[in-house]
C-alpha cells in the first residue's frame, strides 16, 4: 500500500468526519510531502461535467474524460489529475480535486477506494456545514432586518401626535397600528393662526427605515408649509416640489391635507392620491373627491381643492389602505364598499365599529398585512354663541338608540359650560336631561334611530331653557305623580311617570307641550335667584 493510502486510511480510521479532516491536515511532514495539491476550479451549473459526476461511481481521472466541457479544460490547465465527487442525498455538493502525485506514480486502486470512502464521509459533513453557514447568514440578516424595523417603528411613533386636539363641539379620535413590516403611515393635527385645525393623513410607499425617514420629512414639510400657506391645494403643491429632488427612487407619498373650521364645520381639503375620505351627513354617506398626484413623483403638480361642511351629528372618516386592502382567508379584500356600509350603520364609536367589522371579516388567524390608520372627526354640536343681547344658544340631535341619553347629557354639559353653573346645579341639570332624553328615545320615538331626539339650549333673560323634543305626540301631560313605594308594592301605583317627578325636582320648572309635530319637554333653570344648591 502506498504512503498516501496509509496516511488516508489512518485519517479515516481515527473517527468521525471532523477527525478525519483534522488528522489529514496534521499528518507528519514526510507523509504530507507525498500528498498532492488540491487546486480549486469553479464549475458552472450548466456544465456537462456536473451531470457526469452526478452519475459517477467514484473517483474520476481527468485525462480520461472525453467531454466538451469548459470545466474539464480548466481542471487540466490547473493540473488536476483526479476528481472525487462529493455526493450527499443524491446531490452533487462539490468535488475533491487532486493534482499529480509528487512521486509521479499513478493513483492506485486502494488510493481511489480510500478517497471514495473519505468523500462518502466528507460530503454530508460539508453539506451540514454549508447549511449551518447559510442559517447563520440568514440569522444575521434577520437580526439586521429586525433592528431596522425597530428603528423604523421608533421613528414612526415619535412623529405621531402625542395627544389629540380638544375642540368644543367635536369628537376627534385616531387609531394607528403598525404591521410587522413597518410601512410609512402617518397622521397629524396642528393649529393654524386662523384658529382652524389642519388634519393630515398619509402613506409612504416601501417599508422600513427608508419609508420612516420619508414619512418624517413629509410630516415636517407639511407642518412648515401649512403654517405659512392658506390653501390646502397650494400646501400640497409646495410639499411636492420640496420632496421631488430628494425622495429615493420608486418611492412616493399619498397624502390628504384638510383644514377644519371648528366654528362653522367648514372643511377645505386637497388630496395627493390618498384614499378618498368618507363623510356621513343627514343625507347619507359619500366619498369626498379631490384629484391630485402622489407627492414626490413629478415637480410642478397642481392639486384640486374641495370644500365640504359637517353639521351637528355629521362625521368625517380618514383612513389608510391597510383597512380596505386587508384579506379574508379566501383572499377577498375588505374593500371600500364594506367600509362605507360600516360608516353608514355605526353612529356610536366609529373606530371601534370598523375594527370589529374588520376582525370578523379577516378571521382570528389573520396576520396584518399593512399599517392601519384611522382618523375620525364627528361634530357633536355647533359652537356656542354667548353674544350680548342674544345670550347663549346651541342645538343638536342624538339618535334614538339606548344609551344615547349619556351623549345628550354630555352635550348639554358642554353647551352650558360658559354659564359657570355651580357643580351641584350642573349635575342636577345633567341628570334631568338624561332622564328626559331616555323618555324621548324609548317612549316618544320608540327607539327608532331614524327619528332623532332634538335638543335646544337657550340662555336668555335670566333663564336657561333646555328643550328635548321627540315625535311621540298625544302623550298625556298630567302632573307628575309622587312615587309611593308602598303603593307600588301593593300594585296600586306603576313606576311610569316617576321619571317626570325626578325631572321636576331637579330643575326650577318643567314644561311639557306639543307643537310643530313634536312632543317637547322643557327644563327651566333660573340663572338669577334660582333654587340654591342643596335645596333640591
Amino acid at each position: 500500500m502506498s504512503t498516501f493510502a496509509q496516511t488516508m486510511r489512518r485519517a479515516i480510521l481515527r473517527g468521525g468526519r471532523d477527525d478525519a479532516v483534522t488528522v489529514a491536515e496534521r499528518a507528519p511532514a514526510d507523509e504530507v510531502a507525498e500528498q498532492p495539491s488540491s487546486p480549486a476550479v469553479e464549475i458552472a451549473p450548466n456544465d456537462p461535467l456536473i451531470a457526469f459526476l452526478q452519475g459517477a461511481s467514484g473517483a474520476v481521472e481527468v485525462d480520461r474524460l472525453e467531454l466538451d466541457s469548459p470545466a474539464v479544460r480548466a481542471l487540466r490547465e490547473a493540473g488536476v489529475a483526479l476528481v472525487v465527487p462529493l455526493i450527499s442525498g443524491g446531490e452533487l455538493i462539490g468535488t475533491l480535486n487532486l493534482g499529480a502525485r509528487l512521486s509521479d506514480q499513478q493513483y492506485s486502486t486502494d488510493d481511489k477506494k480510500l478517497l471514495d470512502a473519505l468523500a462518502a464521509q466528507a460530503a454530508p459533513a460539508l453539506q451540514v456545514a454549508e447549511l449551518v453557514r447559510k442559517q447563520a447568514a440568514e440569522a444575521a440578516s434577520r437580526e439586521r432586518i429586525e433592528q431596522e424595523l425597530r428603528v423604523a417603528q421608533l421613528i414612526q411613533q415619535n412623529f405621531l401626535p402625542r395627544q389629540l386636539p380638544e375642540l368644543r363641539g367635536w369628537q376627534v379620535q385616531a387609531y394607528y397600528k403598525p404591521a410587522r413590516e413597518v410601512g410609512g403611515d402617518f397622521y397629524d393635527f396642528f393649529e393654524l393662526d386662523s384658529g382652524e385645525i389642519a388634519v393630515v393623513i398619509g402613506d409612504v410607499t416601501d417599508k422600513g427605515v427608508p419609508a420612516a425617514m420619508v414619512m418624517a420629512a413629509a410630516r415636517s414639510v407639511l407642518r412648515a408649509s401649512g403654517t405659512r400657506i392658506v390653501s390646502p391645494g397650494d400646501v400640497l403643491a409646495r410639499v411636492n416640489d420640496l420632496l421631488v429632488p430628494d425622495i429615493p427612487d420608486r418611492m412616493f407619498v399619498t397624502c390628504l391635507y384638510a383644514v377644519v373650521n371648528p366654528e362653522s364645520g367648514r372643511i377645505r381639503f386637497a388630496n395627493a392620491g390618498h384614499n378618498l375620505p368618507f363623510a356621513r351627513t343627514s343625507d347619507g354617506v359619500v366619498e369626498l373627491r379631490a384629484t391630485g398626484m402622489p407627492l414626490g413623483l413629478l415637480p410642478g403638480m397642481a392639486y384640486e381643492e374641495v370644500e365640504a361642511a359637517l353639521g351637528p351629528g355629521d362625521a368625517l372618516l380618514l383612513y389608510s389602505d391597510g383597512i380596505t386592502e386587508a384579506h379574508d382567508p379566501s383572499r377577498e379584500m375588505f374593500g371600500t364598499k364594506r367600509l362605507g356600509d360600516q360608516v353608514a350603520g355605526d353612529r356610536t364609536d366609529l373606530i371601534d365599529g370598523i375594527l370589529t367589522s374588520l376582525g370578523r371579516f379577516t378571521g382570528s388567524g389573520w396576520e396584518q398585512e399593512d399599517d392601519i390608520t384611522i382618523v375620525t372627526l364627528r361634530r357633536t354640536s355647533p359652537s356656542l354663541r354667548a353674544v350680548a343681547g342674544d345670550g347663549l344658544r346651541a342645538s343638536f340631535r342624538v339618535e334614538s338608540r339606548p344609551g344615547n341619553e349619556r351623549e345628550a347629557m354630555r352635550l348639554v354639559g358642554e353647551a352650558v359650560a360658559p354659564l359657570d353653573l355651580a357643580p351641584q346645579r350642573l349635575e342636577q341639570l345633567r341628570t334631568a336631561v338624561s332622564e328626559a332624553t331616555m323618555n324621548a328615545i324609548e317612549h316618544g320615538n320608540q327607539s327608532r334611530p331614524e327619528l332623532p331626539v332634538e335638543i335646544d339650549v337657550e340662555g336668555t333673560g335670566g333663564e336657561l331653557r333646555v328643550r328635548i323634543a321627540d315625535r311621540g305626540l298625544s302623550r298625556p301631560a298630567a302632573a307628575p305623580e309622587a312615587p309611593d313605594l308602598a303603593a307600588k308594592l301593593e300594585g296600586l301605583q306603576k313606576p311610569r311617570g316617576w321619571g317626570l317627578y325626578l325631572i321636576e325636582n331637579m330643575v326650577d320648572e318643567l314644561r311639557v307641550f306639543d307643537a310643530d309635530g313634536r312632543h317637547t319637554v322643557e327644563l327651566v333653570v333660573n340663572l338669577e335667584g334660582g333654587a340654591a344648591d342643596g335645596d333640591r
Side-chain angles (χ1 to χ4, degrees):
M1 184 181 291
S2 69
T3 304
F4 172 74
Q6 292 171 353
T7 301
M8 297 302 294
R9 179 178 293 278
R10 281 198 298 271
I12 293 172
L13 293 178
R14 283 292 296 268
R17 300 181 181 113
D18 291 339
D19 291 338
V21 173
T22 303
V23 173
E25 291 175 348
R26 295 181 182 177
D30 59 335
E31 294 176 349
V32 172
E34 284 292 318
Q35 295 184 27
S37 61
S38 301
V41 174
E42 293 290 334
I43 304 177
N46 59 347
D47 195 287
L49 181 60
I50 296 288
F52 182 85
L53 294 176
Q54 187 83 31
S57 58
V60 176
E61 295 183 29
V62 175
D63 287 342
R64 295 186 180 183
L65 288 172
E66 296 180 359
L67 293 174
D68 184 12
S69 162
V72 171
R73 290 191 290 272
L75 288 169
R76 288 171 178 162
E77 291 174 0
V80 175
L82 198 67
V83 174
V84 184
L86 299 175
I87 307 291
S88 178
E91 179 184 357
L92 179 69
I93 63 169
T95 62
L96 179 62
N97 301 336
L98 295 94
R101 296 185 60 180
L102 297 180
S103 62
D104 292 330
Q105 295 180 2
Q106 297 295 320
Y107 287 100
S108 68
T109 302
D110 287 339
D111 292 340
K112 293 177 181 178
K113 287 181 179 179
L114 286 172
L115 287 169
D116 291 341
L118 174 62
Q121 295 188 53
L126 287 174
Q127 189 173 39
V128 170
E130 179 65 12
L131 288 174
V132 171
R133 185 193 67 79
K134 286 183 178 179
Q135 289 175 353
E138 290 172 358
S141 177
R142 283 195 300 270
E143 177 58 30
R144 287 194 298 273
I145 293 173
E146 292 292 339
Q147 178 63 23
E148 179 178 319
L149 292 177
R150 287 192 290 269
V151 171
Q153 286 178 342
L154 183 63
I155 294 172
Q156 207 169 28
Q157 291 168 6
N158 281 344
F159 277 91
L160 295 176
R162 299 188 184 277
Q163 60 184 21
L164 300 178
E166 295 183 4
L167 305 178
R168 182 179 296 279
W170 292 78
Q171 281 186 341
V172 181
Q173 294 180 298
Y175 174 87
Y176 167 74
K177 183 180 181 182
R180 185 178 180 277
E181 293 187 359
V182 179
D185 276 18
F186 64 98
Y187 68 93
D188 197 12
F189 303 92
F190 54 93
E191 187 173 358
L192 305 176
D193 291 341
S194 61
E196 297 173 305
I197 299 295
V199 183
V200 180
I201 186 169
D203 186 5
V204 182
T205 59
D206 209 347
K207 302 181 185 300
V209 171
M213 295 298 291
V214 171
M215 178 274 289
R219 174 190 178 275
S220 299
V221 176
L222 277 162
R223 277 191 164 234
S225 301
T227 54
R228 293 184 290 107
I229 302 174
V230 174
S231 164
D234 291 345
V235 169
L236 291 186
R238 173 62 176 166
V239 172
N240 177 67
D241 289 341
L242 291 173
L243 289 179
V244 166
D246 299 320
I247 196 168
D249 292 339
R250 296 182 296 278
M251 289 184 69
F252 57 84
V253 183
T254 67
C255 177
L256 186 141
Y257 177 83
V259 175
V260 179
N261 186 319
E263 298 291 327
S264 65
R266 175 174 174 247
I267 299 173
R268 297 176 292 118
F269 72 95
N271 194 342
H274 197 73
N275 303 84
L276 301 181
F278 281 104
R280 186 186 66 206
T281 69
S282 57
D283 296 325
V285 174
V286 295
E287 288 183 305
L288 301 180
R289 298 181 178 273
T291 59
M293 289 284 288
L295 305 175
L297 287 177
L298 296 169
M301 292 291 99
Y303 294 88
E304 179 186 12
E305 185 172 319
V306 174
E307 286 193 15
L310 296 183
D314 295 347
L316 180 70
L317 170 70
L318 313 178
Y319 63 95
S320 67
D321 56 14
I323 299 173
T324 52
E325 295 181 5
H327 293 84
D328 69 1
S330 64
R331 301 304 296 167
E332 181 181 357
M333 287 201 302
F334 188 75
T336 55
K337 184 181 183 305
R338 283 189 181 86
L339 183 59
D341 291 344
Q342 184 64 41
V343 174
D346 196 322
R347 300 281 176 155
T348 52
D349 189 330
L350 188 54
I351 290 180
D352 184 66
I354 291 172
L355 295 178
T356 299
S357 177
L358 183 65
R360 285 196 300 263
F361 175 79
T362 55
S364 58
W366 178 60
E367 182 176 348
Q368 186 178 324
E369 302 160 81
D370 198 358
D371 293 359
I372 291 177
T373 305
I374 308 173
V375 174
T376 63
L377 294 90
R378 186 163 73 91
R379 194 176 183 196
T380 55
S381 67
S383 296
L384 304 172
R385 292 180 296 149
V387 182
D390 288 343
L392 182 98
R393 304 176 191 276
S395 297
F396 35 80
R397 298 179 173 189
V398 297
E399 288 188 335
S400 296
R401 296 180 185 272
N404 270 0
E405 66 274 7
R406 294 189 293 272
E407 176 72 357
M409 183 172 64
R410 184 188 66 78
L411 292 173
V412 170
E414 283 187 358
V416 302
L419 300 178
D420 197 24
L421 295 176
Q424 187 170 341
R425 289 284 274 170
L426 176 60
E427 194 57 34
Q428 289 172 337
L429 174 63
R430 282 162 48 89
T431 301
V433 168
S434 175
E435 186 66 31
T437 305
M438 184 187 303
N439 286 341
I441 290 172
E442 295 179 0
H443 307 305
N445 290 340
Q446 302 296 311
S447 297
R448 294 169 58 188
E450 70 274 14
L451 298 179
V453 175
E454 301 172 4
I455 303 173
D456 293 298
V457 179
E458 183 178 3
T460 58
E463 280 188 346
L464 170 63
R465 294 176 294 279
V466 180
R467 300 183 188 93
I468 300 168
D470 59 60
R471 304 297 176 87
L473 297 175
S474 303
R475 299 215 300 278
E481 184 179 11
D484 186 332
L485 183 58
K488 177 185 179 300
L489 293 175
E490 294 176 7
L492 302 176
Q493 188 184 71
K494 295 182 180 180
R496 294 287 295 273
W498 287 14
L500 286 178
Y501 180 85
L502 173 65
I503 294 170
E504 188 178 48
N505 282 270
M506 288 289 161
V507 295
D508 292 307
E509 187 176 352
L510 172 66
R511 301 166 185 165
V512 181
F513 55 90
D514 290 342
D516 300 324
R518 290 167 174 77
H519 179 79
T520 302
V521 173
E522 184 177 66
L523 314 177
V524 180
V525 175
N526 295 327
L527 300 178
E528 297 177 4
D533 291 348
D535 289 350
R536 295 185 177 276

